[in-house]
Amino acid sequence: MAKFLLKRLLALMGILLLVSLGIFMLVHLLPGDPTTTILGPNNTAHNRAVLMQQLGLNKPIWSQYFLWLGNIFHGNLGQSFITHQTVTNTLANAFPIDLELIVISQVVALSVSIPLAIASAKKPNGLLDRVSTTTSFALLALPPFIIIVFAVLIFSIHFHVFPGPGSYVPFSQDPISNLHTMILPSLVLAIGSVVIYFRLLRGDLITTLQEEFIVMARSKGLSNRYIMWRHALRPSSLSLLAAAGLNIGGLVAGAFVVEFLLAIPGLGYALVNSIQQVDYLAVQGVTLFVAVVVVVLNFIIDFLFTIVDPRIARE
Amino acid sequence: MSSTTDAVSSAATESSVGVSRAPKKRMRKALGTIFWISICWIGVVFLLAIVASWIGLDDPNNGDFSLINSSPSWSHLFGTDDLGRDILSRVIYGARVSLIVGFGAMGLGMSIGGTLGMIAAYRRGAVDTLVSAASYVMLAFPALVAVIAIVAFWGHDIWKITIIVGVASTPLVYRVIRAATLSYATREFVTAAKAQGATDTRILSRELLPNVLPTIISYFLIGVATVIILEGALAFLGLSVPAPTASWGNMINESRTYLSDNPWLALFPSMAMFLFLVALNLVGDALRQSFDAQESKL
């Protein structure tokens, strides 16, 4: 187990190094002078000298990379030449918002998809199963950027149930109205996850329910409810976990989209703003941060697998 | 095969199994009609996108400023946008972007990832280990964030977007095609071909490819749908083809500002994208199911 974990940790380090290298190269391998790219409209002689010093641009590219990497470990991702905010500061302000969105959406998604999948799997091809399977298939073709537009049109503009774009309030300032603003984007995000989890779990449960140990459990006289929750759902938790892991990337993307429409100042909003302002240092910082978070989360989920099913570590 | 990716993709593939035999047969018959309607719809969208310039549509980029944000009427079936441009015309021209990016990127991803996947599964050994490791590293990176970053640094014309998304799709394509080829690479007919002295190229193209083709086609179509969604997300963030070029994503993005005045602006491109994605998913799904059924008969 310890050896397995060590091997995985080494792989994680390797992947993180490659990811950081890739993001570093994005700025440095592009044609043209990186200072021109990074400084953008603020390309003055003074700024250029400061940047040269900061990035060590007169040194060879490898030592530049290690300098950059070293700075990251000290929590220094650079300071934007456009907004004069440190990139670390931008991240610290924006990340909790994404976290809130994603956590709410996942709680909603799991509490909808699990009972729905169980109810559908009880009677495959029954009315509920057919309705939910067809609906989920249609929803597969409705990406978050379409749903959010119509959700805002219906719920904010027509019925005024939820606040419209640009009404974000920080949680620390007013928790109630903060939650009120976050409901609509979280629900839109949740829809995509519900579809994935429902389709996966339903298929899994139908297959599991035909296994012999279920027949065995039935013949022992256990109740259907007990069999469903204790015997059938348990082996499916593995694939659900895997799906949740794969879903993280899509969730981040979806969060970017809904934030952008509703002007919620999360990471996606920060990223698109920095791109539009040609603020490359911020783009680099946000990209690196998101990539690292996703890679580390996937690592943790991989590790959870070995706890749920210890056989994986023995392989 | 024990990776999480494979577990999910195979679980997703099997999501439709387990339904008892008799209703499945009926379902397949019912699927038949829907399947052909979907094929026709995809064909119509293709045809319209190709002949868009010759069927007397209004100019998609130059509008009539005396008629802005108008509702559907006989002269403008889908209405006009905030610059008086005909929405029907823009929806049809916009299909070009989705089709080029969708089919182009998947074509690129399939030719790189698919070829590598087949070779890795057939040759195994060092090639397999190396390419598989590389695919895991690429998969670890969140695709949309990578695409956003590269598009932001490199620029966003339609061909660059196609190449970036195509390359980003290769690791996933590689894993799917590799897994599909693996199940055939050790079968008797491959051994027989080898014994007859067939070259590797011949075995890959004449023995393995026909068997993997069903997986390639169905995965290709579902991949195209995913890429079209990705282009839409890029457009929504203002990172797809630059204005005034029409694309479904761009149109949905532009509609945000005028939602309360002119909901038609959002409705038509959304409908176009939704119906096209449903058709692609239906065809891909139906093909996969019918191939699965053939396999189980063997």
Side-chain angles (χ1 to χ4, degrees):
Chain A
M1 189 71 179
K3 200 178 157 199
F4 175 78
L5 190 63
L6 194 71
K7 242 167 103 178
R8 280 302 171 89
L9 264 175
L10 278 177
L12 175 73
M13 290 301 156
I15 287 177
L16 286 179
L17 269 180
L18 283 172
V19 165
S20 71
L21 190 63
I23 291 170
F24 175 79
M25 290 302 184
L26 265 184
V27 180
H28 289 261
L29 278 192
L30 281 172
D33 184 355
T35 51
T36 328
T37 323
I38 292 172
L39 290 170
N42 292 358
N43 192 355
T44 61
H46 172 72
N47 279 348
R48 178 181 287 271
V50 174
L51 186 70
M52 286 290 261
Q53 172 67 27
Q54 193 183 322
L55 299 180
L57 283 178
N58 30 20
K59 293 175 191 154
I61 192 148
W62 283 108
S63 54
Q64 283 178 44
Y65 170 67
F66 286 113
L67 184 73
W68 180 69
L69 206 59
N71 278 337
I72 292 173
F73 281 116
H74 291 108
N76 176 10
L77 281 162
Q79 184 172 13
S80 161
F81 281 84
I82 288 139
T83 58
H84 301 289
Q85 256 205 338
T86 61
V87 178
T88 331
N89 200 357
T90 312
L91 290 175
N93 287 333
F95 180 57
I97 299 172
D98 290 74
L99 202 63
E100 185 186 350
L101 265 181
I102 289 178
V103 169
I104 300 179
S105 79
Q106 290 309 285
V107 171
V108 173
L110 288 173
S111 45
V112 171
S113 56
I114 294 178
L116 193 63
I118 288 179
S120 297
K122 264 184 199 154
K123 281 197 199 109
N125 261 345
L127 183 66
L128 178 72
D129 184 37
R130 271 183 296 173
V131 170
S132 46
T133 310
T134 316
T135 314
S136 73
F137 194 84
L139 285 176
L140 268 186
L142 276 180
F145 57 86
I146 291 185
I147 301 180
I148 187 76
V149 165
F150 287 95
V152 166
L153 182 63
I154 295 168
F155 296 109
S156 301
I157 297 178
H158 267 277
F159 293 111
H160 305 285
V161 193
F162 295 112
S167 39
Y168 175 80
V169 191
F171 188 80
S172 52
Q173 202 178 325
D174 183 352
I176 305 283
S177 28
N178 170 276
L179 284 174
H180 192 202
T181 347
M182 296 298 248
I183 291 176
L184 191 68
S186 310
L187 286 183
V188 170
L189 265 189
I191 291 176
S193 308
V194 169
V195 171
I196 298 173
Y197 300 154
F198 165 75
R199 284 170 62 89
L200 185 84
L201 200 56
R202 174 192 166 273
D204 241 35
L205 283 176
I206 290 177
T207 321
T208 314
L209 284 175
Q210 290 169 346
E211 301 259 359
E212 275 157 10
F213 68 87
I214 299 288
V215 180
M216 170 72 185
R218 284 226 171 88
S219 66
K220 280 200 308 199
L222 296 176
S223 73
N224 275 337
R225 175 184 292 262
Y226 187 83
I227 291 175
M228 191 58 104
W229 286 93
R230 291 289 304 182
H231 291 233
L233 194 60
R234 234 174 135 185
S236 298
S237 56
L238 266 180
S239 31
L240 201 59
L241 201 59
L246 282 181
N247 195 22
I248 294 174
L251 268 178
V252 171
F256 282 15
V257 163
V258 294
E259 278 168 14
F260 187 64
L261 179 79
L262 291 173
I264 298 172
L267 285 174
Y269 196 68
L271 182 62
V272 176
N273 266 344
S274 342
I275 288 174
Q276 280 167 355
Q277 294 172 340
V278 210
D279 189 348
Y280 284 92
L281 234 42
V283 176
Q284 199 181 34
V286 174
T287 317
L288 181 75
F289 180 75
V290 173
V292 168
V293 169
V294 172
V295 170
V296 170
L297 270 178
N298 270 316
F299 171 80
I300 295 173
I301 285 180
D302 243 26
F303 179 65
L304 284 180
F305 266 104
T306 56
I307 294 179
V308 181
D309 187 352
R311 285 174 302 177
I312 293 172
R314 265 184 248 137
E315 261 176 25
Chain B
M1 282 296 280
S2 63
S3 81
T4 58
T5 323
D6 289 337
V8 169
S9 62
S10 70
T13 319
E14 281 153 16
S15 65
S16 50
V17 299
V19 182
S20 55
R21 274 269 160 246
K24 195 178 178 185
K25 215 169 200 178
R26 223 183 305 134
M27 256 173 73
R28 208 184 301 153
K29 231 175 208 169
L31 256 172
T33 340
I34 300 173
F35 174 77
W36 289 112
I37 294 175
S38 306
I39 291 267
C40 288
W41 176 242
I42 295 173
V44 167
V45 173
F46 253 98
L47 196 71
L48 282 175
I50 292 169
V51 301
S53 330
W54 299 299
I55 48 176
L57 288 172
D58 293 345
D59 186 332
N61 297 331
N62 286 310
D64 173 3
F65 282 106
S66 62
L67 197 68
I68 58 167
N69 278 333
S70 69
S71 300
S73 65
W74 279 114
S75 51
H76 298 283
L77 282 179
F78 285 6
T80 55
D81 70 2
D82 54 304
L83 297 173
R85 300 174 294 195
D86 183 53
I87 297 179
L88 174 66
S89 161
R90 283 180 73 74
V91 166
I92 293 176
Y93 275 92
R96 286 185 171 175
V97 175
S98 292
L99 290 177
I100 291 176
V101 175
F103 284 85
M106 272 317 282
L108 184 70
M110 215 28 116
S111 28
I112 304 175
T115 314
L116 282 174
M118 284 186 66
I119 293 176
Y122 173 63
R123 298 291 291 270
R124 306 304 300 272
V127 184
D128 189 22
T129 316
L130 202 71
V131 185
S132 292
S135 79
Y136 277 122
V137 174
M138 279 179 80
L139 275 178
F141 207 94
L144 185 99
V145 179
V147 171
I148 289 180
I150 300 171
V151 167
F153 283 102
W154 199 33
H156 39 115
D157 71 55
I158 188 166
W159 301 108
K160 283 180 182 171
I161 293 175
T162 307
I163 293 172
I164 294 166
V165 175
V167 172
S169 74
T170 44
L172 207 56
V173 174
Y174 166 81
R175 298 228 64 88
V176 172
I177 302 301
R178 178 181 169 278
T181 316
L182 265 183
S183 57
Y184 293 103
T186 49
R187 293 269 282 268
E188 298 84 349
F189 62 87
V190 177
T191 322
K194 261 187 211 160
Q196 286 176 334
T199 59
D200 285 352
T201 325
R202 192 192 153 86
I203 293 178
L204 279 170
S205 60
R206 302 293 290 272
E207 306 289 342
L208 288 173
L209 186 62
N211 282 300
V212 188
L213 206 58
T215 315
I216 293 182
I217 296 172
S218 56
Y219 189 71
F220 182 85
L221 291 174
I222 292 169
V224 170
T226 317
V227 171
I228 291 177
I229 293 179
L230 189 60
E231 187 274 328
L234 281 178
F236 199 80
L237 301 175
L239 292 170
S240 182
V241 287
T245 312
S247 89
W248 293 339
N250 276 353
M251 293 178 73
I252 298 170
N253 182 30
E254 286 157 14
S255 76
R256 294 182 301 139
T257 332
Y258 304 95
L259 266 187
S260 44
D261 308 322
N262 190 2
W264 302 107
L265 217 57
L267 186 70
F268 289 112
S270 302
M271 283 299 284
M273 186 180 269
F274 171 68
L275 290 176
F276 193 64
L277 292 174
V278 167
L280 279 174
N281 285 339
L282 274 171
V283 172
D285 229 43
L287 283 178
R288 203 192 56 215
Q289 271 176 12
S290 70
F291 292 134
D292 277 356
Q294 273 175 7
E295 238 167 70
S296 64
K297 257 190 253 163
L298 286 173

